[in-house]
Amino acid sequence: MLILVLNCGSSSIKFRLYDMKDETQLASGLVERIGSDDAIFSYKTYKFEGSKDTLSIKNHSIGLSVILNKLTSEDVGVIKDVSEIDSVGHRVVHGGEKFSTSILINQEVIDEIEKSIPLAPLHNPPNLSGILACKEVMPNTPQVAVFDTAFHHTLPDYAFIYPLPYELYESDKIRKYGFHGISHRYVSLEAAKMMGKKLDELKIITCHLGNGASMAAIKNGKSIDTSMGFTPLEGLMMGTRCGSVDPAIVFYLMRTKNLTVDQVDNLFNKKSGLLGISGISNDARDVVAAAKSGDYRAKLALQIFAYRVKHYIGAYAAAMGGLDTIVMTAGIGENTEQIRELALSDLEFLGVKLDKNRNNTDLKKSREISADESKVKVFVIFTNEEIMIARDTKEILDRIN
Ligand code: AMP
């Protein structure tokens, strides 16, 4: 069974084509700068090192056609005809309250995703464009939506409802949704595998630390709390996002600095986080380099980032009534040993003991980084949201066929 996985952004389409017989990745690539005359199309396959072309791509439908033409091309293609693709799996950021699992896409699902646009105005419209492009270009191929919010549907009401007037939850569905669910789910499954245990007997904290960052408390395989909220702004410090701050800072800035709503939005989402504190970059690599050369604000940025991770580790261990495993994943979690060390130090009271040597040895693969005597196992696990989407898509196809 061949499954095409698509992750559509406002001006991009990331794709991977899998042969689900053995989960081989046949081809992958990225279309960037959709909407312009100099869009960039990168492409590689299991037998072709790769190409990068600049061409005019006006919209997602044209972007998808360009991808399909390449996948079926004589010289570097991996299939003969588009009809060989059994299904397309889409990453959809926001499923609202409606979708608690992945689902076969029909008109009703499209309408619901559209209804969720006010909840994710930056993400759901391009996700929808990808779905509509597939409907247009490959109308007979079943499509599946895999939601980033779905995994967190198991949060109890006392964890997902904010202490605002209850009517706001009823009328506007203002509540914690949580994001990065596909990644939290994938790495928790991998962690259980690496421990040789069943997921449903473990208490796991997963730390997805990338440019966007969130953590989840996963008890017996179910997410019971997560740090992102109504939007991906809540929780941890991120590349350019502030994470949780006193909401009264919004009123203060608007009243005393005369900032508009959009200006505060921009300040919190684009100018804060690692970038805002360091004044150097949102990229952890630049901040680590500056901290190493003694820059005070860069060091502070790393400390704040790590302190917030530690803060949630304590909170989630308490929420789950114990802790077996911590997983570090995504760009920073997988690669930045300085932040891992800061976040995981002095946690022996919780049963967490890092092995500094394991933590500092960059093996470019998933591994344990806790000491042998650590009661809580700590892993670096390379996330793979695409394979999770492909697996869900296959499962749904298997069910309907
Ligand atoms: P993501 O959003 O998962 O792509 O992660 C992006 C973040 O990961 C950026 O802050 C990068 O600095 C960091 N990152 C990615 N690769 C590396 C690396 N090889 N070494 C250190 N940090 C990295």
Side-chain angles (χ1 to χ4, degrees):
M1 181 186 287
L2 297 193
I3 289 178
L4 179 65
V5 173
L6 294 184
N7 184 353
C8 296
S10 57
S11 61
S12 67
I13 307 177
K14 272 191 219 152
F15 70 95
R16 286 195 193 172
L17 181 67
Y18 289 101
D19 183 346
M20 294 308 285
K21 185 168 67 244
D22 50 6
E23 299 192 342
T24 312
Q25 190 179 303
L26 300 178
S28 64
L30 173 66
V31 181
E32 296 166 275
R33 293 165 46 172
I34 291 176
S36 75
D37 285 331
D38 50 1
I40 301 166
F41 175 36
S42 330
Y43 174 81
K44 66 176 182 188
T45 76
Y46 68 101
K47 56 185 175 186
F48 168 61
E49 246 175 51
S51 58
K52 208 167 199 177
D53 301 314
T54 303
L55 66 172
S56 172
I57 298 181
K58 288 281 176 240
N59 56 42
H60 284 79
S61 287
I62 296 173
L64 179 64
S65 299
V66 168
I67 293 168
L68 295 174
N69 284 341
K70 202 74 158 183
L71 288 172
T72 51
S73 68
E74 261 185 29
D75 48 351
V76 294
V78 289
I79 51 175
K80 289 208 164 53
D81 194 90
V82 173
S83 63
E84 289 172 46
I85 299 173
D86 294 283
S87 181
V88 183
H90 293 266
R91 176 178 185 220
V92 180
V93 167
H94 217 309
E97 276 215 313
K98 177 98 179 164
F99 298 114
S100 56
T101 55
S102 303
I103 192 161
L104 187 71
I105 296 174
N106 56 23
Q107 192 53 46
E108 203 183 317
V109 173
I110 290 176
D111 294 344
E112 278 299 326
I113 295 172
E114 201 163 9
K115 268 196 226 156
S116 298
I117 285 178
L119 298 172
L122 299 180
H123 295 100
N124 271 24
N127 298 160
L128 203 52
S129 301
I131 293 169
L132 297 176
C134 286
K135 259 189 99 175
E136 187 184 328
V137 177
M138 41 205 308
N140 299 319
T141 310
Q143 300 188 60
V144 168
V146 181
F147 299 97
D148 235 0
T149 46
F151 183 55
H152 303 300
H153 259 254
T154 42
L155 261 62
D157 50 4
Y158 56 79
F160 76 68
I161 294 186
Y162 293 110
L164 291 163
Y166 187 76
E167 293 74 20
L168 282 175
Y169 166 57
E170 291 182 308
S171 61
D172 287 77
K173 300 289 169 215
I174 294 180
R175 53 160 284 179
K176 182 187 278 271
Y177 289 99
F179 299 87
H180 294 141
I182 304 166
S183 176
H184 288 296
R185 184 155 64 103
Y186 174 79
V187 297
S188 63
L189 285 163
E190 285 297 301
K193 230 191 276 170
M194 287 166 81
M195 292 176 77
K197 295 214 165 145
K198 287 199 184 119
L199 186 59
D200 62 12
E201 60 192 31
L202 290 170
K203 293 172 179 140
I204 307 180
I205 295 176
T206 48
C207 312
H208 178 106
L209 311 179
N211 201 31
S214 72
M215 288 170 59
I218 303 172
K219 187 177 182 182
N220 308 333
K222 293 193 165 55
S223 173
I224 64 151
D225 204 355
T226 190
S227 59
M228 280 181 171
F230 180 58
T231 74
L233 184 57
E234 191 182 346
L236 296 169
M237 174 180 183
M238 308 184 208
T240 60
R241 284 175 240 160
C242 55
S244 295
V245 296
D246 183 345
I249 295 169
V250 177
F251 327 137
Y252 177 88
L253 289 173
M254 293 179 77
R255 288 195 187 116
T256 63
K257 300 241 177 221
N258 290 324
L259 295 192
T260 63
V261 172
D262 286 345
Q263 284 169 325
V264 180
D265 187 328
N266 190 46
L267 194 78
F268 282 20
N269 273 298
K270 303 267 170 66
K271 302 233 162 72
S272 299
L274 289 175
L275 173 68
I277 296 293
S278 71
I280 292 168
S281 170
N282 66 313
D283 191 307
R285 284 167 287 204
D286 301 333
V287 181
V288 167
K292 275 188 185 154
S293 64
D295 187 278
Y296 164 74
R297 281 174 54 180
K299 260 195 232 169
L300 181 65
L302 299 179
Q303 283 171 326
I304 300 174
F305 191 102
Y307 179 69
R308 290 193 158 211
V309 174
K310 182 178 278 192
H311 169 100
Y312 279 102
I313 289 175
Y316 289 169
M320 292 192 288
L323 180 61
D324 299 303
T325 319
I326 298 174
V327 180
M328 292 283 170
T329 193
I332 293 173
E334 292 160 12
N335 298 297
T336 312
E337 70 258 22
Q338 295 84 352
I339 288 181
R340 288 197 303 255
E341 185 174 332
L342 283 171
L344 296 166
S345 60
D346 303 322
L347 290 179
E348 282 83 358
F349 78 99
L350 263 184
V352 179
K353 188 161 192 313
L354 200 64
D355 180 310
K356 286 195 181 162
N357 196 31
R358 287 177 184 165
N359 183 47
N360 296 344
T361 311
D362 186 6
L363 298 174
K364 303 262 178 271
K365 62 172 191 182
S366 299
R367 64 194 185 277
E368 183 182 348
I369 56 169
S370 43
D372 289 338
E373 68 271 27
S374 183
K375 189 175 90 39
V376 173
K377 296 285 161 212
V378 185
F379 297 104
V380 166
I381 296 180
F382 283 69
T383 196
N384 189 344
E385 289 159 294
E386 291 78 11
I387 195 66
M388 205 74 229
I389 296 170
R391 284 178 193 164
D392 274 16
T393 305
K394 176 180 181 308
E395 203 183 301
I396 288 177
L397 264 252
D398 284 343
R399 242 185 282 148
I400 60 169
N401 282 333

